[in-house]
Each structure stands twice: as structure tokens, then as C-alpha cells.
Amino acid sequence: MRRLKRRKAAAITDINITPFTDVALVLLIVFMIVMPMLNQPSIEVNLPTVETTNVTQVTNVEVLIDRHGRVHIGGRNVHDNYVEETIRGLIAANPDGPVIIKGDGQASYDSVIRVVNKAKRAGASRFALAVELDR
């Protein structure tokens, strides 16, 4: 007769970390949701109210330069000889307004610099170059 050998149950030597990983990920998600809420100011302040006053509207002086180097101010084409005078008149009417130069991407660098120099001679002290953002 053969003797049947009994097998011993093998002892488990490795640790199952799956439940620990699940708990850690749930805690991480909870902290990611809660942390932005903790940055909110907790002190409420009632700001005083004031009567509205007449606020002067600051308008910009917009100078457009097309791809051929032609200058347009106020929607009309302005000859190079009259650019400085036209900008001077617009700046006199609104000295705090910046001069915004909108140059076409195909316009020469020289034509943009010429307009900037003419605006400086006209008395402009604040400039901005308009660009489009890539999306």
C-alpha cells in the first residue's frame, strides 16, 4: 500500500500591498480636492462703498501697418509725411493713452521702426506692440 503523503500548507511569505495602494491613492485624491479649498481666505471683509465719479475713459492710439508698409490711423490711410502730425494730435487729446502698434506679420521690420520713431517724436511715451497668441 502506498502511503499518501500529506502536503504541508505553505506559509505565505509575501505581503499583499494592493489594499495599501488603494488607500494611499484615495487619500491622495482627497488631498488634491481639499487643498485648493484651504487656500481660500477665511476672513470676511465688508468693503466700504463709495459714490461713482466721472472716470475719464483712456483711449488708445492704434496705429496699423499693413503688409505693404502703409500706415492706417483711425481707420484711414495716412501718408508717411503726416503720421507724426496725426499721432501728435491724438496724443494731445489723450496724453495718458498708449500708442498701440499693430504691424502685419508680413510688414517689414523697418516700417514698424519708422512708425515707432515718428510716434516718439510726436511725444508718445507709452508703447505696445500688438500680437496674436497661438492657440
Side-chain angles (χ1 to χ4, degrees):
M1 279 212 249
R2 275 199 221 171
R3 277 189 158 174
L4 294 174
K5 292 184 181 180
R6 289 190 178 186
R7 292 187 182 176
K8 287 187 176 180
I12 299 175
T13 58
D14 57 342
I15 299 173
N16 187 1
I17 63 167
T18 303
F20 174 74
T21 306
D22 291 342
V23 169
L25 289 175
V26 167
L27 287 174
L28 178 67
I29 291 170
V30 167
F31 283 124
M32 288 173 55
I33 292 171
V34 170
M35 286 307 291
M37 291 183 226
L38 294 177
N39 290 334
Q40 300 295 327
S42 60
I43 300 173
E44 292 185 24
V45 177
N46 292 326
L47 297 175
T49 58
V50 295
E51 294 180 22
T52 59
T53 59
N54 292 337
V55 178
T56 58
Q57 180 74 19
V58 176
T59 57
N60 302 329
V61 176
E62 291 187 0
V63 180
L64 285 81
I65 304 169
D66 65 10
R67 70 178 57 185
H68 303 290
R70 293 183 297 242
V71 179
H72 304 272
I73 302 174
R76 60 188 174 101
N77 190 9
V78 178
H79 192 271
D80 282 342
N81 296 338
Y82 301 108
V83 170
E84 187 175 337
E85 294 173 21
T86 307
I87 294 175
R88 184 177 291 122
L90 293 171
I91 290 174
N94 187 11
D96 292 332
V99 175
I100 299 177
I101 299 174
K102 297 180 177 181
D104 190 282
Q106 303 297 318
S108 69
Y109 185 72
D110 182 54
S111 61
V112 175
I113 296 301
R114 275 195 337 261
V115 171
V116 169
N117 287 334
K118 289 179 182 185
K120 281 184 183 179
R121 285 194 304 259
S125 60
R126 297 175 57 200
F127 292 94
L129 295 175
V131 295
E132 272 189 26
L133 297 175
D134 286 337
R135 295 193 191 239

